[in-house]
């Protein structure tokens, strides 16, 4: 997948005048932090987790903004309600995507645990072969599922309802709400790109594994690919050496720990999405 820039996505999606307002300053600061974050075509687990943390902060600020008496009053007097349906519709789809992504991460973590369990038992080449086939099959399914979700996100990024000229505060609020949506699209794309890392195949006997051990090659490597290479090489060239098994186990343990963090980040995002939607519905009820 090609790399994506949160900044360029934001500029494309927003049709309202880019007018700031004191009430939106805090959320704009948090959005700016995320805009300056590097959205890589091959993100690491740390980048994914930090993106999720940043999105959580953005949603907290969005809740604070929507609950300001000044904001509630301004929005209740707004005559053009089309933007509300736009934001609410996308919030439902975001909840679905977040829930599906959480399930993918959970399944991925369980598959990694199964492989670790097999390596600890060391039941032989037949069991290893079966495990390898199942793991590769699972990885291909995940890649397909992630690609479908990315397609949905890209469609959402191009769906913007035109809003008539309105007062400065309402205009600023709608603009930042749309920026939050656009930023959420970029962050979830990054999560899905991470999860759909290419399914690797061993090349030469432990040559790539040896390179991954070198510090210089580990800085920006996708942890899923790293674990793939180690596991596939172990399967292809035998699993009798304790040192090789230990190396693969360390890669899998590292990957499992990263999945725990990402899963926690997605849980927080899911809760934030529910709160944000509830807050927006309260705003609508005041109109």
């Amino acid at each position: 997948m090609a790399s994506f820039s949160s900044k360029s996505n934001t500029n494309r999606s927003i049709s309202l005048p880019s007018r700031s307002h004191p009430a939106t300053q805090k959320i704009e600061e948090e959005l700016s932090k995320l805009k300056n974050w590097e959205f890589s075509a091959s993100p690491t687990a740390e980048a994914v987790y930090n993106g999720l943390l940043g999105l959580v902060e953005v949603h907290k600020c969005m809740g604070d903004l929507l609950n300001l008496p000044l904001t509630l009053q301004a929005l209740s007097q707004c005559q053009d309600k089309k933007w509300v349906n736009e934001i609410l519709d996308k919030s439902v789809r975001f909840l679905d995507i977040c829930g599906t992504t959480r399930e993918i991460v959970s399944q991925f973590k369980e598959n990694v645990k199964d492989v670790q369990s097999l390596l600890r038992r060391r039941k032989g080449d037949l069991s290893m072969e079966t495990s390898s086939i199942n793991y590769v099959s699972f990885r291909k399914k995940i890649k397909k599922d992630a690609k479908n979700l990315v397609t949905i996100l890209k469609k959402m990024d191009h769906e913007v309802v035109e809003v008539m000229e309105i007062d400065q505060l309402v205009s600023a609020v709608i603009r930042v709400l749309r920026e939050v949506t656009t930023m959420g699209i970029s962050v979830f794309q990054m999560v899905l790109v991470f999860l759909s890392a290419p399914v690797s195949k061993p090349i030469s006997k432990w040559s790539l594994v040896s390179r991954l051990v070198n510090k210089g090659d580990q800085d920006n490597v996708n942890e899923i690919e790293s674990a793939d290479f180690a596991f596939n090489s172990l399967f292809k060239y035998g699993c009798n050496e304790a040192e090789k098994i230990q190396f693969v186990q360390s890669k899998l343990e590292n990957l499992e720990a990263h999945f725990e963090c990402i899963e926690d980040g997605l849980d927080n995002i899911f809760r934030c999405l529910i709160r944000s939607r509830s807050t927006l519905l309260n705003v609508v009820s005041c109109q």
Side-chain angles (χ1 to χ4, degrees):
M1 294 183 189
S3 61
F4 36 84
S5 166
S6 59
K7 187 174 182 179
S8 62
N9 284 347
T10 301
N11 290 337
R12 183 181 66 249
S13 298
I14 295 169
S15 58
L16 292 171
S18 182
R19 294 179 296 186
S20 188
H21 189 281
T24 62
Q25 181 177 355
K26 177 60 178 175
I27 190 171
E28 286 175 337
E29 289 175 357
E30 293 300 327
L31 281 166
S32 180
K33 292 177 185 178
L34 265 182
K35 287 178 186 177
N36 292 328
W37 191 259
E38 182 180 357
F39 288 83
S40 170
S42 182
T44 62
E46 181 181 5
V48 168
Y49 183 60
N50 285 330
L52 291 171
L53 287 180
L55 192 58
V56 167
E57 290 304 313
V58 165
H59 274 274
K60 287 179 180 178
C61 291
M62 187 172 80
D64 293 340
L65 172 64
L66 291 176
N67 282 307
L68 286 174
L70 182 66
T71 305
L72 289 169
Q73 181 180 4
L75 293 179
S76 66
Q77 296 172 355
C78 177
Q79 298 300 311
D80 192 344
K81 307 295 195 301
K82 291 182 292 185
W83 66 271
V84 179
N85 292 330
E86 173 199 334
I87 302 295
L88 285 173
D89 176 63
K90 288 183 177 179
S91 71
V92 171
R93 284 185 281 173
F94 258 126
L95 281 168
D96 288 340
I97 290 171
C98 185
T100 302
T101 305
R102 285 197 309 170
E103 182 61 27
I104 289 174
V105 172
S106 177
Q107 291 176 5
F108 218 139
K109 187 175 67 174
E110 290 305 312
N111 268 265
V112 169
K113 287 183 177 180
D114 289 343
V115 174
Q116 287 179 285
S117 177
L118 176 66
L119 289 175
R120 283 193 295 269
R121 295 195 302 269
R122 301 185 192 181
K123 285 194 172 182
D125 292 338
L126 184 59
S127 295
M128 183 66 74
E129 181 178 2
T130 301
S131 178
S132 177
I133 292 173
N134 291 339
Y135 182 73
V136 170
S137 177
F138 170 77
R139 291 275 282 108
K140 289 180 178 179
K141 178 182 180 300
I142 291 302
K143 190 174 179 66
K144 181 180 178 181
D145 291 345
K147 184 178 179 180
N148 290 336
L149 291 176
V150 169
T151 299
I152 295 173
L153 287 168
K154 288 181 177 179
K155 287 181 180 179
M156 288 172 60
D157 201 16
H158 289 84
E159 297 171 356
V160 179
V161 176
E162 294 296 330
V163 180
M164 66 181 185
E165 193 68 22
I166 43 186
D167 73 68
Q168 185 181 6
L169 174 57
V170 175
S171 176
V173 170
I174 297 174
R175 178 175 56 81
V176 295
L177 289 179
R178 286 179 169 175
E179 286 192 20
V180 170
T181 298
T182 300
M183 191 58 63
I185 289 171
S186 291
V187 170
F188 271 93
Q189 278 186 314
M190 183 171 63
V191 176
L192 293 166
V193 168
F194 172 77
L195 294 172
S196 60
V199 181
S200 63
K201 296 179 181 179
I203 48 176
S204 61
K205 188 174 182 178
W206 285 91
S207 61
L208 184 55
V209 175
S210 298
R211 293 208 307 270
L212 291 172
V213 175
N214 296 329
K215 184 178 185 298
D217 291 322
Q218 286 185 320
D219 292 339
N220 295 304
V221 69
N222 182 301
E223 291 82 358
I224 294 175
E225 292 180 275
S226 178
D228 275 3
F229 282 128
F231 176 63
N232 288 338
S233 295
L234 179 63
F235 163 67
K236 183 172 181 179
Y237 300 111
C239 57
N240 296 321
E241 295 184 27
E243 185 178 350
K244 291 180 180 180
I245 292 176
Q246 185 176 3
F247 177 78
V248 176
Q249 285 280 34
S250 68
K251 289 290 183 182
L252 293 172
E253 288 171 3
N254 180 57
L255 183 58
E256 183 185 349
H258 284 304
F259 280 146
E260 291 280 359
C261 292
I262 292 173
E263 196 172 32
D264 181 63
L266 288 169
D267 285 342
N268 289 332
I269 285 291
F270 193 81
R271 287 191 290 270
C272 282
L273 288 170
I274 291 176
R275 285 196 296 268
S276 296
R277 178 172 172 78
S278 176
T279 301
L280 194 57
L281 286 170
N282 288 336
V283 170
V284 174
S285 66
C286 294
Q287 294 183 339

